[in-house]
């Protein structure tokens, strides 16, 4: 984590100074500048390179010893087909080839954990960037976000134009169509990133609001999944810690501070509850005040029903006067309750 923070600080300093940008343009493309700033403002990510997508014409010498080449046209936005056709025609040179390309949006970023990378990868795939993927190198988690909206068409070989002007105009329209779809996908991705970062921030906030707990429930390992579901539904499962092995026959499930106080009482008094009856029937069921369970990665933590209810009511009541708001918040249920034929 310390290495990630150090690298992120260096990258952000370079972006602020406009230094060490190795792209031909030497700066971040305008269509993705807001997205780059958004990702770099989040604690789990830092961008390392990006391109918003481009329409280009590349001239390359031919022959066995030919090397290098030059860009005849480079635009990170749609182009007038007539303008593109004219630029390509003028770029034809003896002894060289000319290729028209459309290259889609691509972004590389470093993530502070595999969990953070997996969450961002899921968002990228859902927005149409099907060629995205994660790579872990030297303890660094790198994510590439990229799609498949490519086009590559040879228009001249050995200095001779292969196609008519009308065909070049058609290619220009095709490239513009791909650029429009490319920019639409970027917009969808940016909106989805906003939602992901908000969810991550809400979860961190929800975890911070909960009193620190070391309590756990030791249970027969054969019943662990059923018990986990039951605890989660009641808001008793502590999402900030992981389920762990207690001994060869039992598992330890993390309990919230609230559950550490309520569960022993409930086990002794609320025998009409099927879940509690199931717990009491397990001879190895025992609430332990302190268990050494590993901390759960932030991106794996799920808010309990009570946490979600608390967050949403806080947002709804933020305009209320303090005494009224405080009283309403005190009346929020902290576990599942019945009201007639309703379950709250």
């Amino acid at each position: 984590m310390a290495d990630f923070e150090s690298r992120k600080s260096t990258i952000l300093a370079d972006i602020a100074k406009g230094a060490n940008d190795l792209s031909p343009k030497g700066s971040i493309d305008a269509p993705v500048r807001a997205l780059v700033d958004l990702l770099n403002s989040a604690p789990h990510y830092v961008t390392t390179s990006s391109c918003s997508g481009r329409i280009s014409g590349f001239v390359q010498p031919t022959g066995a010893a030919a090397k290098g080449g030059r860009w005849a046209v480079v635009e990170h936005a749609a182009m007038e087909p007539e303008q593109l056709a004219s630029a390509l025609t003028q770029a034809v040179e003896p002894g060289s080839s000319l290729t028209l390309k459309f290259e889609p949006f691509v972004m590389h970023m470093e993530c502070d954990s595999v969990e953070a990378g997996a969450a961002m990868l899921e968002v990228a795939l859902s927005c149409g960037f099907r060629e995205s993927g994660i790579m872990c190198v030297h303890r660094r988690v790198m994510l590439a976000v990229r799609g498949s909206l490519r086009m590559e068409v040879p228009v001249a070989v050995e200095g001779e134009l292969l196609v008519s002007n009308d065909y070049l105009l058609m290619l220009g329209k095709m490239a513009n169509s791909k650029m429009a779809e490319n920019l639409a996908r970027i917009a969808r991705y940016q909106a989805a990133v906003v939602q992901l970062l908000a969810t991550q921030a809400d979860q961190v906030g929800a975890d911070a609001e909960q009193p620190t707990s070391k309590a756990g429930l030791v249970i027969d390992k054969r019943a662990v999944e059923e018990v986990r579901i039951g605890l989660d539904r009641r808001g008793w499962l502590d999402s900030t810690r992981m389920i762990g092995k207690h001994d060869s026959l039992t598992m330890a499930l993390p309990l919230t501070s609230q559950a550490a106080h309520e569960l022993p009482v409930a086990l002794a008094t609320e025998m009409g509850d099927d879940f509690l009856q199931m717990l009491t029937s397990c001879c190895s069921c025992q609430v332990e005040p302190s268990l050494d369970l590993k901390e759960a990665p932030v991106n794996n933590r799920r808010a309990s029903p009570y946490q979600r209810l608390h967050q949403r009511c806080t947002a709804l009541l933020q305009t209320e006067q303090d005494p009224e708001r405080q009283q309403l918040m005190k009346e929020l249920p902290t576990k599942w309750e019945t009201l007639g034929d309703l379950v709250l």
Side-chain angles (χ1 to χ4, degrees):
M1 179 66 77
D3 290 342
F4 170 80
E5 294 294 345
S6 176
R7 288 191 294 269
K8 180 170 183 175
S9 296
T10 300
I11 291 170
L12 296 185
D14 286 344
I15 290 176
K17 294 183 295 185
N20 295 324
D21 192 315
L22 302 180
S23 65
K25 191 161 67 74
S27 62
I28 296 171
D29 298 339
V32 295
R33 180 68 207 222
L35 176 59
V36 168
D37 291 341
L38 174 66
L39 287 164
N40 289 335
S41 70
H44 306 302
Y45 309 100
V46 61
T47 59
T48 56
S49 66
S50 65
C51 175
S52 63
R54 65 189 178 191
I55 298 170
S56 64
F58 190 71
V59 180
Q60 187 171 20
T62 56
K67 294 182 179 180
R70 67 178 181 86
W71 298 105
V73 181
V74 180
E75 285 291 339
H76 294 272
M79 295 183 66
E80 289 295 333
E82 293 80 5
Q83 178 189 0
L84 177 61
S86 175
L88 291 173
T89 301
Q90 295 175 26
V92 177
E93 298 175 353
S96 66
S97 64
L98 174 62
T99 305
L100 172 64
K101 297 181 179 182
F102 172 78
E103 297 166 287
F105 163 76
V106 61
M107 177 170 285
H108 296 92
M109 69 187 81
E110 183 176 354
C111 313
D112 69 354
S113 67
V114 173
E115 292 78 16
M120 188 61 71
L121 175 61
E122 183 177 352
V123 168
L125 294 173
S126 71
C127 294
F129 298 109
R130 301 295 185 183
E131 295 186 4
S132 301
I134 295 177
M135 179 172 61
C136 297
V137 181
H138 302 305
R139 298 186 180 180
R140 296 180 67 182
V141 181
M142 305 301 298
L143 170 66
V145 179
R146 55 193 174 214
S148 57
L149 286 172
R150 295 181 183 84
M151 183 174 78
E152 185 168 340
V153 183
V155 296
V157 175
E158 295 292 346
E160 292 189 15
L161 196 61
L162 300 176
V163 298
S164 66
N165 191 67
D166 287 343
Y167 192 79
L168 289 177
L169 294 176
M170 183 193 71
L171 291 178
K173 293 176 182 178
M174 291 176 62
N176 285 341
S177 176
K178 289 182 179 293
M179 178 62 80
E181 174 59 24
N182 178 68
L183 294 176
R185 289 186 184 183
I186 293 173
R188 289 199 297 271
Y189 177 55
Q190 182 168 331
V193 169
V194 169
Q195 291 294 321
L196 173 64
L197 299 184
T199 299
Q200 290 174 340
D202 287 346
Q203 187 56 62
V204 171
D207 292 341
E209 290 179 5
Q210 300 304 308
T212 302
S213 173
K214 290 189 175 182
L217 178 66
V218 177
I219 193 77
D220 189 311
K221 65 181 182 181
R222 292 170 295 182
V224 67
E225 183 60 17
E226 185 177 1
V227 174
R228 183 195 67 78
I229 293 171
L231 293 174
D232 193 30
R233 286 175 175 172
R234 288 160 174 78
W236 284 345
L237 187 68
D238 181 4
S239 64
T240 68
R241 294 178 294 149
M242 299 174 67
I243 296 172
K245 182 178 179 180
H246 187 253
D247 58 36
S248 61
L249 299 176
T250 59
M251 299 290 288
L253 286 79
L255 296 176
T256 63
S257 296
Q258 176 188 345
H261 294 292
E262 293 183 358
L263 184 54
V265 177
L267 288 172
T269 59
E270 298 183 22
M271 297 304 296
D273 186 301
D274 291 341
F275 172 65
L276 296 174
Q277 286 184 345
M278 184 271 289
L279 286 181
T280 55
S281 68
C282 297
C283 59
S284 58
C285 173
Q286 184 175 354
V287 176
E288 295 285 352
S290 181
L291 289 173
D292 185 19
L293 296 173
K294 292 182 179 179
E295 183 178 353
V298 171
N299 292 287
N300 278 5
R301 301 177 186 177
R302 296 186 301 116
S304 69
Y306 170 72
Q307 291 171 338
R308 294 194 294 270
L309 181 63
H310 190 281
Q311 293 167 20
R312 292 177 184 178
C313 288
T314 298
L316 286 171
L317 299 174
Q318 61 185 352
T319 59
E320 298 290 337
Q321 297 296 322
D322 281 348
E324 297 175 357
R325 177 180 179 277
Q326 291 174 6
Q327 183 57 37
L328 287 168
M329 296 302 290
K330 287 180 181 178
E331 295 176 1
L332 287 180
T334 58
K335 60 181 180 180
W336 293 104
E337 298 177 0
T338 57
L339 178 63
D341 58 353
L342 298 177
V343 179
L344 305 178

